């Protein structure tokens, strides 16, 4: 029963994603904004993180591969991390650092929480949209191979 609910939710999210993608075709994508603040909590993902100057990202993790990760929360506030990892996919790196949480399904990782914020589609039709360099991704985070210089993001989305 649980598997059927998850499959139904994923199918619904895929339909919503495709609708949003088609609706966005031809729409101007705003330029990437610089973050206005850095994270200030003591979340497990931030333990040992090195915060640089104001308006810059927070450095997190260890490893030879580096990528930028942005989260836009339910209030529209953006938090940015410079992620260091030896993982090969964005999803694996973010899971290992505790920045995302979710359930594995036949379709891959279904992200339910990012930076501790849960998006509950059943409650208010909220979900996490995954972006690669400002474009809605056509793969999930666990299917996105890390490329240096690319910005990966999750945006809290309703509807």
């Amino acid at each position: 029963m649980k598997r059927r609910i998850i499959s139904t939710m994923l199918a619904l999210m895929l339909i919503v994603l495709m609708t949003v993608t088609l609706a966005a075709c031809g729409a101007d994508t705003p330029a990437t904004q610089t973050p206005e603040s850095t994270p200030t909590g003591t979340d497990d993902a931030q333990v040992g993180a090195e915060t640089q100057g104001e308006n810059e990202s927070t450095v997190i993790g260890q490893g030879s591969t580096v990528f930028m990760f942005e989260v836009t929360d339910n209030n529209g506030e953006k938090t940015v991390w410079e992620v260091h990892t030896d993982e090969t996919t964005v999803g694996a790196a973010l899971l290992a650092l505790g920045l995302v949480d979710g359930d594995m399904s036949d379709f891959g990782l279904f992200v339910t929480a990012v930076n501790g914020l849960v998006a509950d589609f059943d409650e208010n039709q909220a979900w996490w949209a995954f972006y690669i360099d400002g474009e809605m991704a056509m793969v999930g985070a666990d299917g996105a191979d890390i490329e240096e210089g690319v910005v990966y993001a999750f945006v809290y989305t309703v509807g």
Side-chain angles (χ1 to χ4, degrees):
M1 181 72 174
K2 183 178 179 182
R3 185 180 202 107
R4 187 171 192 189
I5 291 171
I6 290 173
S7 294
T8 303
M9 286 178 46
L10 287 172
L12 181 59
M13 287 181 47
L14 182 59
I15 291 169
V16 169
L17 177 66
M18 291 174 71
T19 303
V20 169
T21 302
L22 289 174
C25 288
D28 290 337
T29 304
T32 304
Q33 300 175 358
T34 57
E36 294 180 12
S37 64
T38 57
T40 58
T42 57
D43 191 289
D44 287 343
Q46 297 175 10
V47 173
E50 175 186 327
T51 302
Q52 298 182 358
E54 190 174 327
N55 293 330
E56 292 186 20
S57 61
T58 298
V59 177
I60 188 169
Q62 296 179 353
S64 59
T65 304
V66 179
F67 68 92
M68 298 305 294
F69 175 60
E70 299 178 350
V71 175
T72 303
D73 67 17
N74 57 330
N75 295 318
E77 294 183 28
K78 188 180 290 187
T79 306
V80 180
W81 289 271
E82 179 182 294
V83 177
H84 293 247
T85 186
D86 287 326
E87 298 289 345
T88 58
T89 66
V90 175
L94 298 179
L95 278 170
L97 292 169
L99 289 174
V100 299
D101 193 19
D103 301 311
M104 289 304 292
S105 73
D106 293 339
F107 303 104
L109 177 65
F110 176 69
V111 175
T112 56
V114 178
N115 196 26
L117 178 62
V118 175
D120 187 346
F121 193 83
D122 291 333
E123 183 179 312
N124 62 352
Q125 295 186 330
W127 56 286
W128 287 104
F130 181 55
Y131 288 81
I132 300 174
D133 267 348
E135 299 286 329
M136 188 170 285
M138 300 311 286
V139 298
D142 61 331
D145 291 329
I146 297 171
E147 295 180 44
E148 292 199 38
V150 174
V151 177
Y152 301 93
F154 272 105
V155 177
Y156 187 94
T157 306
V158 177

